[in-house]
Amino acid sequence: MRALGSIRQRECRWKNRDGDAFTILLSAETIKLNDTMHILSMAMDITQRKRAEEELVKTLEREKELSQLKSNFVSMVSHEFRTPLGIIQSSAELLSDFHEKMPPDEREEQLKSITRNTRRMAGMMEEVLVLSRLGAGKLEFQPAPLDLNGFCRRVVDEVLSATSRQCVIELSLKSVPVEANADERLLGHIFTNLLSNAVKYSEPGAKVHFAVERDGTDAVCVCRDRGIGISDADQQQLFEAFHRGSNVGTRPGTGLGLLLVKRCTELHGGQVQVETKVGEGTTVIVRLPVFATNYGKDIGH
Amino acid sequence: MIIEDEPEMKRNITTLLRYHDYEPIAAANGRDGVQAARREKPDVILCDVMMPELDGYGVL
């Protein structure tokens, strides 16, 4: 104070006796009274105001993200939805116009095309929907006891059948306790996206490894493929909505999968890490604190 | 001739033309398309725009 002379409206973060942080607005002045120096100071507790400010900034960021999502959605729809729609439409027209001329195996092939592309569109819609629910904060983290071993096997089976067993998925479960505390729906989004990505970007017949291991209170889930990998430039935009790698070719996709994985992992209080190299493959490591005691008290709200 | 990278779309356009008594040939990207066009000299080329290797503008 002697050196400064005065302090004007300075924000200070202090801790009270209980260790709770609070913010005050401090002003102070040195004044001379009867030839002695005095300090006149005023402090105002602005903790509530700061909290409201932070909340506002967060809400604003969420809004921005949501509006970007919407505008990206429009341009994605024109690219990604038109292709399957065009196939469905032309297949249906071929069937109706040339039904008599068409040999049975060709007819079968056209019907399969319609089913496959309808599924593809439904899958994309689902991804967009889940993500917008996440963005709006409508998908809440609701942990419940879950048999992680059985759950992993089930997801692997589902992905195998959804991808027509295009790749081999090797599942390894090491010292995973019978019961985890997790949100089954969010976990389903995480594992399904990791595995279907790994299969999608691998050569047919290649191996995909999926290992889940306990590390203290965490479940460490590692999904490794020997697929096309992600370039350094694309890695900068790994979690950007609708961004897709420059080397994906004609593989269908929305560019939402990894973002979905990240969001669902964060709701779980976990972390995502990606190691990848073009032409060598990609490894995604998801760490989820599903074995913590009194888990779920302070996360996700 | 059809130049189209989406396999099912390529198949459907080829099939449609075949049933209308044309003799279509097809290529899966711009580069192959240009090569095949030089070789086969088709009467008409239906070309996609967004394709790997060489896009529709590149083909033109």
Side-chain angles (χ1 to χ4, degrees):
Chain A
M1 267 312 288
R2 228 180 267 276
L4 287 169
S6 71
I7 294 170
R8 296 235 181 274
Q9 307 222 328
R10 184 182 298 179
E11 271 184 38
C12 306
R13 269 182 86 74
W14 286 344
K15 275 194 175 143
N16 66 12
R17 255 178 231 155
D18 301 330
D20 297 329
F22 64 102
T23 312
I24 59 154
L25 197 64
L26 182 73
S27 295
E29 193 81 43
T30 42
I31 51 167
K32 216 176 213 175
L33 273 181
N34 301 328
D35 281 339
T36 26
M37 297 296 282
H38 291 264
I39 296 175
L40 179 71
S41 69
M42 191 185 77
M44 201 195 325
D45 187 341
I46 55 161
T47 314
Q48 293 292 335
R49 201 174 84 195
K50 287 301 277 187
R51 221 170 267 160
E53 264 174 39
E54 277 162 24
E55 200 57 43
L56 202 68
V57 170
K58 258 190 215 158
T59 312
L60 216 68
E61 265 170 27
R62 250 206 318 263
E63 279 302 315
K64 253 191 220 162
E65 222 172 81
L66 220 67
S67 93
Q68 210 222 335
L69 194 75
K70 274 181 197 146
S71 71
N72 284 350
F73 175 71
V74 174
S75 67
M76 194 276 293
V77 162
S78 64
H79 290 148
E80 283 303 319
F81 277 44
R82 257 204 310 223
T83 312
L85 255 185
I87 295 167
I88 294 166
Q89 194 186 347
S90 54
S91 288
E93 280 172 8
L94 280 170
L95 279 169
S96 103
D97 293 352
F98 303 103
H99 190 263
E100 304 299 321
K101 262 191 186 176
M102 217 179 250
D105 58 329
E106 213 174 287
R107 238 180 271 165
E108 190 65 31
E109 198 50 47
Q110 294 292 349
L111 283 169
K112 270 191 196 149
S113 272
I114 294 176
T115 316
R116 186 168 45 234
N117 284 285
T118 312
R119 265 209 206 109
R120 182 168 147 191
M121 285 198 68
M124 286 196 271
M125 280 308 303
E126 174 70 18
E127 274 183 4
V128 174
L129 214 66
V130 170
L131 207 70
S132 81
R133 263 194 229 129
L134 279 171
K138 274 182 192 155
L139 211 65
E140 274 185 27
F141 176 61
Q142 290 168 328
L146 174 77
D147 167 19
L148 196 57
N149 291 279
F151 183 72
C152 289
R153 285 195 198 98
R154 222 163 50 232
V155 174
V156 167
D157 279 343
E158 277 169 21
V159 171
L160 278 174
S161 95
T163 56
S164 317
R165 299 183 187 272
Q166 201 182 308
C167 287
V168 182
I169 300 177
E170 282 184 346
L171 175 66
S172 105
L173 299 158
K174 267 182 234 151
S175 56
V176 179
V178 174
E179 211 164 77
N181 202 0
D183 186 315
E184 191 172 333
R185 237 171 22 136
L186 295 178
L187 210 59
H189 289 310
I190 298 173
F191 289 174
T192 310
N193 271 292
L194 288 184
L195 289 171
S196 51
N197 267 352
V199 171
K200 197 196 302 179
Y201 299 112
S202 293
E203 290 298 316
K207 263 184 201 161
V208 168
H209 290 268
F210 184 48
V212 180
E213 213 179 297
R214 179 182 185 158
D215 179 20
T217 57
D218 290 350
V220 182
C221 318
V222 182
C223 183
R224 172 175 297 130
D225 67 60
R226 295 273 167 254
I228 59 171
I230 304 164
S231 76
D232 290 345
D234 290 323
Q235 280 178 51
Q236 307 297 318
Q237 289 148 291
L238 216 46
F239 299 111
E240 203 172 281
F242 302 108
H243 182 85
R244 298 194 69 208
S246 47
N247 54 341
V248 296
T250 56
R251 293 171 179 86
T254 52
L256 292 175
L258 264 183
L259 177 60
L260 218 73
V261 168
K262 189 172 180 245
R263 287 290 159 73
C264 293
T265 305
E266 282 168 354
L267 275 177
H268 257 276
Q271 289 166 333
V272 186
Q273 195 188 330
V274 180
E275 290 161 10
T276 177
K277 208 168 177 195
V278 170
E280 288 184 14
T282 302
T283 303
V284 185
I285 303 156
V286 175
R287 229 171 217 284
L288 298 162
V290 290
F291 303 123
T293 45
N294 72 3
Y295 180 68
K297 264 189 182 165
D298 306 314
I299 310 165
H301 295 291
Chain B
M1 173 171 181
I2 299 105
I3 311 178
E4 162 70 58
D5 61 325
E6 185 65 41
E8 287 168 290
M9 201 55 185
K10 187 178 72 186
R11 181 204 61 202
N12 281 4
I13 302 171
T14 313
T15 309
L16 180 72
L17 290 172
R18 203 153 35 79
Y19 283 132
H20 278 105
D21 297 324
Y22 291 98
E23 290 169 22
I25 48 171
N29 64 58
R31 197 187 305 273
D32 291 355
V34 171
Q35 273 178 13
R38 287 215 171 100
R39 196 173 54 237
E40 310 279 343
K41 310 250 186 304
D43 299 315
V44 178
I45 298 176
L46 292 173
C47 185
D48 187 18
V49 175
M50 281 175 59
M51 286 185 295
E53 302 288 329
L54 187 68
D55 67 12
Y57 298 111
V59 171
L60 277 180

